[in-house]
Amino acid sequence: MGPLLDRIKSPADLRRLERERLPFLADELRERLLQSVASTGGHLSANLGTVELTIALHYVFNTPEDRLVWDVGHQTYPHKMLTGRCDRMGSLRQRGGLSGFPRRQESVYDAFGTAHSSTSISAALGMAMAARQTGAARKAVAIIGDGALTAGMAYEALNNAGASDCDLLVILNDNDMSISPPVGALNEYLVQLMSGRFYAQARAAGRKVLENAPPPLFALARHLEQQTRQLVHRDTLFEKLGFTYSGPIDGHDLNTLVPTLERLASACGPQFLHVVTRKGKGYERAEADPVAYHGPGKFDPRVGLASSAAPSTPSYSQVFGDWLCDMAAQDPRLVGITPAMREGSGMVAFSERFPGRYVDVGIAEQHAVTFAAGLACEGLRPVVAIYSTFLQRAYDQLIHDVALQKLPVVFALDRAGMVGPDGATHAGMFDIAYTRCIPNMSIACPADARECRQLLSTAFAQDHPVTVRYPRGKCVGEQALTSLDALPMGKAELRRQGRNVAMLAFGPLLHEALQVAERLNCTVVNMRWAKPLDREMLLEMAKTHQGLVTLEDGCRLGGAGSAVIEALQDMPRRPEVLTLGFEDEFTEHGDPAALMALYGLSAEKIESRIVTRWPLLFQGQTSDTGVLPLRRKVS
């Protein structure tokens, strides 16, 4: 660490620095940030763009007493580094280490957990109102990105806050890019406001002309500039919503940021500051390609990211993207929809090949679902590509606008199950439970790339809504086909015939089940569908086995295992059922394989749990390789 950063153990230390030294601190912080993320992986572009803004906020405001709410929270690495966590950045996104997002349990400086977007204004308004009611002198600041400002929730909060008398400061961090390129009328509006960059250029030229002018003349020019700016921007959308608007200002100019924040810190009522920053600031490769450097893995900053040659094993997102293009070429009714996750959901090729049938609605999951419902009403076949964790945000629309009307919308649920480094905020463990209870909904759980493609085709052919859930990362098992052949609706597949215990696998845990079954001589069924269940297969397994084990990479409560138990209530024979999945707790962040073992879902842990449940069934049991040893207890 540089000498200045060495001295910053808390924002109180930062506030003791002379203001003229802040740019040097910014240089040190940016370099350390780059080296840190390069060694651990994580979010880079957004954090490089918020270095000066973070310094200025902690320099002006009395944190943690004053509340800073970051939105989205992946831009808070500089914030963590200035609030006593610099020495722990090497543990970022690793088990037992720092979270990649603000986390209240991690630090008193993390006022609010923000890993899903567009929540900051609501939360900060609540904090501002609480301060007013309790008589506290603290300030509340929401820092929201231009991508996050595309969500309806942000406008609900702005509408509420603008009519209040709370002392709230909303800072728009405008870098003209969310994860995917920005879209929509709002972005065009911000571009118009960004014409304020003309002021920055004119101001720089004016300073050069007036640099030797007498102080009174310089002061007069500055006053005229401020008056002109206020005249041009007095009718902004934010002013109409009840905020006092300031900006746009350069978010990398500490000599402008600090005095502006000092002025706004003492202002009353709702204030709105428009700050212009650049993603990837200070690292040329990230500035040139902020999307590629949005969330890179480990890399060497001297050479940048490795070649983007196609990997031998595709990801599930790539399998979905290939299927989407192929199905769109065959069926002109298909429309692909994403809430601002074109790259993450594997839709880049589709957006280029079928631009007229590709819609990025921005970070607006509720709108995405109801928009799809409207398309379906008119005979089109919408496919909504959405992360499992983000579909939670559109639950009412899923029920009321899609399922209730039995509209044929396909939901491609990416990042289902364990997500690893992103942790609990992004874990896709709830979708089986929260969609299974909805009438007219079906849930497909492919075990590999081939089934993912086939079940997407099956879902597309239905006359009701279907979710197809698949995990993050590279595919396992059989690779995808090139055809658009479908699988039978609601039918399971017997993968291995054994005895005593039948393992019913929902999704990729099929492969762990097959490993365990070879050792224990169990039957293995690839269930494929969490809803509808293959009741015929389930009845056969119940009649011929003493125990059933359900395996799912989702929550046990209300999940696929619960569905099996419910179905068995109507059957004449009800064997014991062991349901394996995630328990009633939020998962940690870290390496996915290590976390699956931690939560009892690795092959070794599954075997141990089965033998512990039915010890008498496996003592002295023979297999193709002879007599199995007594099971060792696996911790």
Side-chain angles (χ1 to χ4, degrees):
M1 287 189 294
L4 282 176
L5 199 52
D6 263 336
R7 293 163 51 185
I8 307 301
K9 305 301 181 184
S10 73
D13 297 327
L14 169 64
R15 290 189 282 270
R16 283 191 282 269
L17 287 180
E18 299 85 353
R19 185 181 296 184
E20 57 269 20
R21 306 198 71 182
L22 297 183
F24 300 102
L25 175 64
D27 292 340
E28 290 182 20
L29 184 57
R30 183 169 277 112
E31 178 61 26
R32 174 60 189 274
L33 172 65
L34 174 61
Q35 297 299 327
S36 177
V37 175
S39 67
T40 63
H43 294 99
L44 182 62
S45 297
N47 285 291
L48 290 172
T50 58
V51 168
E52 288 84 4
L53 178 58
T54 305
I55 290 173
L57 284 165
H58 282 294
Y59 191 77
V60 171
F61 290 93
N62 183 34
T63 55
E65 178 63 21
D66 290 336
R67 313 298 200 223
L68 303 182
V69 183
W70 295 87
D71 189 356
V72 179
H74 62 230
Q75 61 185 334
T76 54
Y77 295 3
H79 161 80
K80 289 175 183 279
M81 296 171 73
L82 293 174
T83 54
R85 288 168 278 181
C86 198
D87 292 340
R88 297 182 60 203
M89 288 297 290
S91 70
L92 187 71
R93 290 157 49 91
Q94 299 172 34
R95 184 183 169 194
L98 294 179
S99 169
F101 303 96
R103 191 179 186 188
R104 284 172 56 84
Q105 300 94 318
E106 185 177 291
S107 172
V108 295
Y109 292 94
D110 291 357
F112 198 78
T114 48
H116 289 184
S117 79
S118 316
T119 60
S120 59
I121 303 174
S122 298
L125 176 60
M127 295 172 182
M129 185 170 292
R132 185 192 65 188
Q133 291 190 2
T134 60
R138 74 174 72 98
K139 301 292 183 178
V141 183
I143 307 100
I144 186 168
D146 56 303
L149 201 63
T150 61
M153 183 175 177
Y155 291 91
E156 294 172 13
L158 286 171
N159 181 60
N160 189 190
S164 74
D165 57 356
C166 293
D167 295 337
L168 171 69
L169 171 59
V170 175
I171 298 176
L172 170 60
N173 176 26
D174 185 358
N175 52 42
D176 198 32
M177 198 201 87
S178 51
I179 297 174
S180 295
V183 296
L186 173 65
N187 181 66
E188 296 300 323
Y189 178 71
L190 293 179
V191 168
Q192 293 176 24
L193 286 181
M194 280 286 295
S195 63
R197 288 186 178 182
F198 160 78
Y199 288 115
Q201 296 168 353
R203 186 182 190 187
R207 279 184 180 276
K208 189 170 183 179
V209 171
L210 296 171
E211 59 185 5
N212 296 317
L217 182 58
F218 189 87
L220 176 61
R222 184 184 183 94
H223 176 72
L224 290 175
E225 175 206 17
Q226 292 174 343
Q227 292 296 317
T228 302
R229 185 186 294 263
Q230 292 173 6
L231 178 65
V232 172
H233 293 311
R234 66 183 179 182
D235 288 329
T236 65
L237 168 65
F238 310 108
E239 291 274 356
K240 294 295 188 183
L241 286 171
F243 284 77
T244 300
Y245 175 89
S246 300
I249 66 171
D250 185 349
H252 300 297
D253 181 2
L254 284 160
N255 290 325
T256 300
L257 274 172
V258 171
T260 300
L261 290 174
E262 288 175 338
R263 174 177 61 82
L264 293 174
S266 61
C268 297
Q271 304 290 322
F272 192 101
L273 174 62
H274 186 170
V275 173
V276 178
T277 62
R278 179 165 186 160
K279 276 198 172 183
K281 174 71 173 177
Y283 183 52
E284 290 184 3
R285 292 181 174 89
E287 288 188 28
D289 192 353
V291 173
Y293 286 88
H294 169 73
K298 299 178 182 180
F299 69 99
D300 184 345
R302 294 170 299 179
V303 299
L305 299 179
S307 171
S308 59
S312 57
T313 303
S315 68
Y316 284 97
S317 300
Q318 289 173 303
V319 170
F320 164 72
D322 291 343
W323 171 85
L324 191 67
C325 288
D326 293 344
M327 184 59 78
Q330 176 176 296
D331 193 328
R333 299 174 301 165
L334 187 151
V335 178
I337 303 167
T338 177
M341 298 302 294
R342 181 186 68 171
E343 287 77 14
S345 293
M347 297 182 71
V348 173
F350 177 80
S351 69
E352 294 169 349
R353 288 184 57 187
F354 304 96
R357 289 192 275 158
Y358 164 76
V359 183
D360 183 346
V361 300
I363 305 178
E365 293 86 359
Q366 294 172 308
H367 165 59
V369 173
T370 303
F371 170 64
L375 292 172
C377 283
E378 301 303 317
L380 298 183
R381 302 307 293 259
V383 177
V384 181
I386 188 169
Y387 290 8
S388 170
T389 186
F390 296 144
L391 184 59
Q392 297 164 182
R393 312 187 76 185
Y395 195 56
D396 178 64
Q397 289 70 25
L398 187 64
I399 296 173
H400 184 273
D401 300 336
V402 175
L404 181 63
Q405 304 185 92
K406 198 180 179 183
L407 295 172
V409 179
V410 175
F411 294 93
L413 294 194
D414 204 334
R415 273 65 167 180
M418 176 64 67
V419 294
D422 282 340
T425 57
H426 284 61
M429 63 179 56
F430 305 113
D431 56 83
I432 293 179
Y434 73 67
T435 56
R436 190 174 70 82
C437 61
I438 304 175
N440 296 329
M441 292 288 301
S442 292
I443 307 165
C445 307
D448 52 39
R450 177 174 295 187
E451 282 192 355
C452 185
R453 184 177 175 98
Q454 292 172 313
L455 288 173
L456 283 165
S457 293
T458 306
F460 191 76
Q462 304 309 308
D463 62 357
H464 62 273
V466 182
T467 66
V468 181
R469 66 186 310 271
Y470 46 89
R472 177 182 184 175
K474 293 183 178 180
C475 298
V476 294
E478 294 186 79
Q479 296 305 300
L481 302 170
T482 57
S483 70
L484 291 170
D485 295 340
L487 291 171
M489 179 70 191
K491 290 298 181 182
E493 172 196 34
L494 180 65
R495 287 292 293 264
R496 186 188 190 279
Q497 184 63 60
R499 63 179 186 180
N500 295 328
V501 171
M503 304 173 69
L504 312 179
F506 295 84
L509 283 175
L510 170 69
H511 306 284
E512 281 74 13
L514 289 170
Q515 292 179 49
V516 174
E518 288 300 316
R519 291 186 55 80
L520 301 183
N521 193 23
C522 297
T523 296
V524 176
V525 177
N526 177 18
M527 293 299 291
R528 286 181 175 160
W529 295 90
K531 183 183 180 183
L533 289 174
D534 187 338
R535 297 178 69 89
E536 183 179 347
M537 177 70 78
L538 186 57
L539 177 60
E540 178 63 23
M541 293 300 105
K543 288 166 55 178
T544 56
H545 293 79
Q546 297 181 54
L548 302 181
V549 180
T550 65
L551 291 166
E552 59 188 303
D553 57 345
C555 61
R556 288 179 61 241
L557 298 183
S562 295
V564 167
I565 293 173
E566 292 163 10
L568 288 172
Q569 304 305 308
D570 301 327
M571 295 184 180
R573 189 174 187 280
R574 290 179 289 193
E576 287 188 60
V577 180
L578 172 62
T579 61
L580 300 182
F582 295 112
E583 300 298 333
D584 188 21
E585 60 183 292
F586 290 109
T587 57
E588 297 184 32
H589 55 269
D591 175 72
L595 291 173
M596 292 297 277
L598 174 68
Y599 294 108
L601 295 176
S602 64
E604 186 179 46
K605 294 295 183 70
I606 291 168
E607 178 183 346
S608 175
R609 295 173 76 174
I610 292 174
V611 172
T612 300
R613 180 65 174 266
W614 294 289
L616 297 179
L617 296 181
F618 301 104
Q619 290 183 0
Q621 174 182 305
T622 60
S623 72
D624 294 339
T625 57
V627 178
L628 287 171
L630 291 177
R631 297 295 108 205
R632 66 192 184 282
K633 184 174 181 180
V634 182
S635 60

